[in-house]
Amino acid sequence: MTALVFALLAGALVGLALGSLGAGGSILTVPALIYLLGFSPAEASTASLLIVIVTSFTALVAHARAGAVRWRAGLLFAAAGLLPAAGAGLLSARIPTVVLTLAFAGLAVLAGLRMLRHQTLPEDATVSGPRAAGAGAALGMVTGFLGVGGGFLAVPALVAALAVPMNAAVGTSLLVIIANAVVALAARASVEVSLDWALIVPFVATAVLGALDGKQLSAKVQAATLQRVFGGLLVTLAAAMAAGALL
């Protein structure tokens, strides 16, 4: 019963992050699955991809209805990451648990610090093909290897490399996240992982509801405030994960 309550609460938090920021939700999913629900790192990264796909799709629909998705830019960006996502997804199953945990903790620190700093992104960026391809490939590798969407990387990359306006970058990043996550999950299909659906289903259900609420929240609360809250949470989680892996 306790695990079910944790699944419901964690799902709601993940959905809020994805719906309001287009980032941070998926990187909260893995530690929630490991430390609250007892998943192994391999199980958590695979389950995370499933949760990210469903939740991001829900948030994407909400942003698309508001006209805040640049489909062509998002698909081009995602295309560069598909092969790296597949390759990294296959490689992930062969990496020791401690290494995966430490790599994830390092990524969470990076994401948290970026959110805490809340750097202002340029609105007058120019389109750069090579930069877009490089950023898309890097994002695909992160998604495939660690089972996270990488929205905190996708949003600034879309603005800087493809000149997507900030008001459309969040929605567009969700499209990129879904594409990479689907490919990464397909690459893991041959790897035997046992998933507890009795916990994943309620997690997804509240994440979907949270994503819808997050879209409304983003219109009422300043993005800087939301980013600092989620950034502080990520840094704390990363420290706990690193300590647990090393001790």
Side-chain angles (χ1 to χ4, degrees), residues 166-177:
M166 255 316 284
N167 62 359
V170 170
T172 307
S173 76
L174 292 166
L175 176 62
V176 178
I177 289 168

Side-chain angles (χ1 to χ4, degrees), residues 84-95 144-145 183-184 186-191:
L90 290 171
L91 177 64
S92 176
R94 296 166 173 78
I95 301 298
F145 191 65
V183 171
R188 293 169 182 239
S190 60
V191 181

Side-chain angles (χ1 to χ4, degrees), residues 63-95:
H63 283 273
R65 285 176 177 169
V69 178
R70 296 297 176 88
W71 296 98
R72 183 173 180 276
L75 290 172
L76 288 173
F77 191 87
L82 296 184
L83 285 178
L90 290 171
L91 177 64
S92 176
R94 296 166 173 78
I95 301 298

Side-chain angles (χ1 to χ4, degrees), residues 25-32 34-35 45 48 97-111 142 145-149 234 237-238 241-242:
S26 56
I27 209 168
L28 290 171
T29 302
V30 173
I34 294 173
Y35 295 105
S45 58
S48 173
T97 296
V98 173
V99 175
L100 278 178
T101 303
L102 291 176
F104 187 93
L107 183 68
V109 168
L110 176 63
V142 168
F145 191 65
L146 297 176
V148 300
L234 278 177
L237 284 172
M241 290 186 76

Side-chain angles (χ1 to χ4, degrees), residues 220-240:
K220 299 176 182 177
V221 181
Q222 288 188 344
T225 301
L226 289 171
Q227 287 196 10
R228 290 190 183 103
V229 170
F230 285 113
L233 181 57
L234 278 177
V235 172
T236 303
L237 284 172

